[in-house]
Amino acid sequence: MSSDRKVVLVTRRTRLEELVVRHNSVGQAKFYIEHLGADFADYVLEHDTYRRALDSCLQRVEPMVRIQQLDRSFLPNFIFAPDDIIVTLGQDGLVANTLKYLDTQPVVAINPDPTRWDGVLLPFQVQDTAAIVAEALANKRQCKRITMAEVTLNDGQRLRAVNDLFIGQRTHVSARYAIQHGQLKERQSSSGVIVSTGLGSTGWLRSVLTTARRLEHPDDVPHYEPLPWDKKQLRFVVREAFPSRATGTELIMGQVDKAMPLRIASEMPEGGVIFADGMEVDALQFGAGFTAHIQPAAHQAVLVV
């Protein structure tokens, strides 16, 4: 099979490769890990399994279509063609981190090591790669739509999230800001604000809400209903809002959609950040003078299933 379309294979460094970058050689990495009492053999096993999975994916796809390999560190600056097929080889986090840089390009998520990773977002194994890519190229695979969150700053900078956005301080000090949702507005001091998508609503957001409800009703089993992945709505929650003469605690949770976005104006002279899906590397600086406008992204992510 041949096609004018291109497959972009997104990969990531293994833990062993990250250690070698830090310590300059495998020997030094081994000494470091074993000195801490950890099992270096597991790092080697994970690395070898991943490299075999990568080689197998390449061998299966290269005869079919043009393929370009891309390390995840280059995602923020890579320009995807509108008709690219994206294949990710890694954990759920790699899938989420890839989806937020796409518009409507479909993603085929491959689990490189099913014995190690469960993979909520990883429906396929390496041996499935050729068949799934062929069907995706022919537009014969079903796809699941995933609503993303998007934040836009008043200087035009944008950032999307597949799971959640965090707005707050880079370090463990209180974040200061003014928050507005609909007609409600309040100055707050807190540990930050989490804005979650449907996909992310079973993670960080759920943990915060469940803990808060258990503290309020210790004898009840908290009931929590996550959002559907494709619902064009977000949820936000304020972490540990602090009441004072200058700050309130009334506007601490709610629903966000296009008709009722969330606005947050920073009052932090330094250290304010906004990052997506736990990735602080490509965070937006959110110091005093910046205002964030948050709502569901215009495009939904597309995951092949």
Side-chain angles (χ1 to χ4, degrees), residues 231-251:
K231 190 174 182 65
K232 294 183 179 180
Q233 190 179 77
L234 312 172
R235 286 176 177 167
F236 77 90
V237 62
V238 177
R239 302 170 64 216
E240 303 166 329
F242 182 76
S244 72
R245 292 180 179 178
T247 59
T249 60
E250 296 298 318
L251 185 52

Side-chain angles (χ1 to χ4, degrees), residues 99-133:
L99 286 170
K100 71 184 182 184
Y101 293 108
L102 304 174
D103 288 325
T104 58
Q105 297 94 333
V107 172
V108 177
I110 306 295
N111 190 337
D113 191 353
T115 63
R116 187 180 293 267
W117 315 119
D118 293 334
V120 175
L121 297 177
L122 306 175
F124 306 117
Q125 298 186 22
V126 172
Q127 59 267 29
D128 304 320
T129 307
I132 302 304
V133 169

Side-chain angles (χ1 to χ4, degrees), residues 113-160:
D113 191 353
T115 63
R116 187 180 293 267
W117 315 119
D118 293 334
V120 175
L121 297 177
L122 306 175
F124 306 117
Q125 298 186 22
V126 172
Q127 59 267 29
D128 304 320
T129 307
I132 302 304
V133 169
E135 292 180 3
L137 288 167
N139 299 317
K140 293 182 178 179
R141 291 294 306 187
Q142 290 186 335
C143 294
K144 180 174 285 189
R145 301 282 172 171
I146 301 173
T147 295
M148 296 182 288
E150 183 174 70
V151 55
T152 305
L153 298 185
N154 51 334
D155 68 348
Q157 293 186 82
R158 294 174 183 268
L159 183 65
R160 291 177 184 165

Side-chain angles (χ1 to χ4, degrees), residues 19-155:
L19 285 170
V20 171
V21 169
R22 188 184 310 168
H23 299 286
N24 300 316
S25 70
V26 174
Q28 288 292 333
K30 181 181 181 190
F31 174 80
Y32 172 78
I33 292 299
E34 292 184 342
H35 179 71
L36 296 175
D39 181 13
F40 186 72
D42 186 59
Y43 287 74
V44 175
L45 176 61
E46 179 190 348
H47 173 81
D48 290 345
T49 301
Y50 187 84
R51 298 307 302 185
R52 285 195 299 270
L54 175 57
D55 291 342
S56 181
C57 282
L58 291 170
Q59 291 169 5
R60 293 168 191 270
V61 176
E62 282 176 334
M64 301 166 47
V65 64
R66 289 186 299 128
I67 186 168
Q68 179 175 358
Q69 188 174 331
L70 179 72
D71 184 83
R72 77 166 182 174
S73 61
F74 294 105
L75 281 169
N77 300 313
F78 188 79
I79 299 176
F80 293 92
D83 62 349
D84 281 345
I85 299 290
I86 318 303
V87 176
T88 60
L89 185 69
Q91 299 166 245
D92 286 333
L94 179 64
V95 181
N97 195 40
T98 300
L99 286 170
K100 71 184 182 184
Y101 293 108
L102 304 174
D103 288 325
T104 58
Q105 297 94 333
V107 172
V108 177
I110 306 295
N111 190 337
D113 191 353
T115 63
R116 187 180 293 267
W117 315 119
D118 293 334
V120 175
L121 297 177
L122 306 175
F124 306 117
Q125 298 186 22
V126 172
Q127 59 267 29
D128 304 320
T129 307
I132 302 304
V133 169
E135 292 180 3
L137 288 167
N139 299 317
K140 293 182 178 179
R141 291 294 306 187
Q142 290 186 335
C143 294
K144 180 174 285 189
R145 301 282 172 171
I146 301 173
T147 295
M148 296 182 288
E150 183 174 70
V151 55
T152 305
L153 298 185
N154 51 334
D155 68 348

